[in-house]
Amino acid sequence: MDSKFSIIKFLRWTVGSVILIFIAYVAILIGTTWPISEFSITNAGTFGDSFGALTSLFSGLGVAGLLATIFLQREELKLNRRELEETRKEIQLQSQTFHRQRFEDAFYQMLALYKENLRELSIRPHDGDSHRIFGIEALRYLITKFEKAWGKHKLHKFPADENERNEYLYTLVSTIQSVFVRQTRYVETLSSILVLIQDECVPRNGKETYWRILASQLTAYEIKYLFYQALISPDYTTLRNVMLQSQVFQDRLATLNLPDPHRNSFEVLWNISLPKRRNQFTSPLSSAQIKAARKSIQKRQKEASTIAQRTK
C-alpha cells in the first residue's frame, strides 16, 4: 500500500512538473521572440519545431506512466493474492473449528452413553438368582471372584519353560473366560470412543488430551476388567493399541495391582510391552530418608514393647 501511494504521489508531481515546464518553456520562447515581426508558414514551422524537446519529454513521460501503471497493477495483484491467502486460511480455520466442535460433541455424547451403559451393566452373582448387581459393583464382584478363583491355582510365577508357559497361559485364559461375563455393549461403546479419538481428533497431537479425559472417568475396576478382556479377546485390537500408544493408559496400568505374571502373559500373547508396576503414591522423601525413618520407628516400637513386657 505504501508503494502504491508513493507511485501516485510521483505521478502527480511529474504531471505538475511537466505542466510547469511547458508553461515556462512557452513563456521563455514567446519572451525571446516577442515582438513577432512577421507571420508566415516558415516562421510558424520553425516555432513548432522548437517544441521537439518537449515532445520527447512527453514521450518519455508516457512510457514512465505506462511502467507506473504496470507496477500499480502488479501491486494490486499482490494485494488480491494476499487477500485470497488470508481468506483461504480463514476458511481452513473455520473448517477446523467446525470439525473440532463436531468431534467434541460426538465425544461427550458417546462418553455419556458409556456411563449409561456402565450403570445398566448387570450380572447375577449366583445362577438361578433373580438378584442382580449393577455398574461398578458388578465389575468389582467379578474381579474379586476372579482373584479368588485364580488364587486356588497357586501359580505365582511366570514359567520360563515353553511347555509350562503354555499350560500357564491356558489356565489363565480359561479362568478369565469362566469368571468374566463379556459385556459387549459396554466394551464396544468404549472401543467406539477410542476409534473416534484415533481417527477424528483434531489436532492430531491432541489425542492424549482426550485419552486423559476418558481415563479419568475409569475406575480401577474398569481398567482391570478391560485389561483382562483385552488379554483374552482377539477382537479388542483397539483397546490393545491404546495400551501401547497412550501414556496416560500406561500410567494407569502401571499403578494397578495386577500380578506381574499376568502382565507377562499379555506381552507374550500380543507382543505388547506393558509398563512395570510401580507405587501409585510418591513421596517427597528420598529412599535413604524413608529407610532411616522406618528403622527409627521400628526401634522405638521395639523399645516400647520391651518396656510393656517388663511392666507386666
Side-chain angles (χ1 to χ4, degrees), residues 6 18 49 57 66 77 97 101 132 134 139 144 194 233 243 252-254 256 262 285 303 306 310:
S6 299
V18 168
D49 292 339
L57 177 62
L66 179 62
L77 289 175
T97 302
Q101 289 177 348
R132 284 183 172 273
F134 292 87
L139 296 181
T144 303
L194 296 175
S233 178
M243 293 178 184
R252 290 295 302 274
L253 288 171
L256 283 181
H262 293 184
L285 301 176
E303 291 175 352
T306 302
R310 288 178 181 177

Side-chain angles (χ1 to χ4, degrees), residues 32-50:
T32 55
T33 59
W34 192 266
I36 300 174
S37 59
E38 181 182 358
F39 292 96
S40 65
I41 295 176
T42 302
N43 292 334
T46 303
F47 181 77
D49 292 339
S50 64

Side-chain angles (χ1 to χ4, degrees), residues 204-215:
R204 293 294 179 181
N205 56 3
K207 293 179 183 179
E208 193 68 25
T209 300
Y210 292 97
W211 278 334
R212 189 174 300 278
I213 294 173
L214 177 60

Side-chain angles (χ1 to χ4, degrees), residues 75-120:
E75 291 297 319
E76 289 288 343
L77 289 175
K78 285 183 179 180
L79 182 60
N80 292 336
R81 192 179 298 112
R82 190 178 300 113
E83 290 178 352
L84 287 175
E85 290 177 356
E86 292 177 355
T87 303
R88 189 182 300 111
K89 290 179 180 179
E90 185 176 353
I91 292 174
Q92 290 177 350
L93 181 61
Q94 291 177 351
S95 177
Q96 291 177 358
T97 302
F98 173 75
H99 187 84
R100 183 168 184 173
Q101 289 177 348
R102 186 180 64 180
F103 165 78
E104 289 184 349
D105 290 342
F107 173 77
Y108 287 109
Q109 288 176 2
M110 294 185 68
L111 189 60
L113 179 61
Y114 168 81
K115 292 180 179 179
E116 181 180 351
N117 289 338
L118 175 61
R119 287 192 297 268
E120 295 178 355

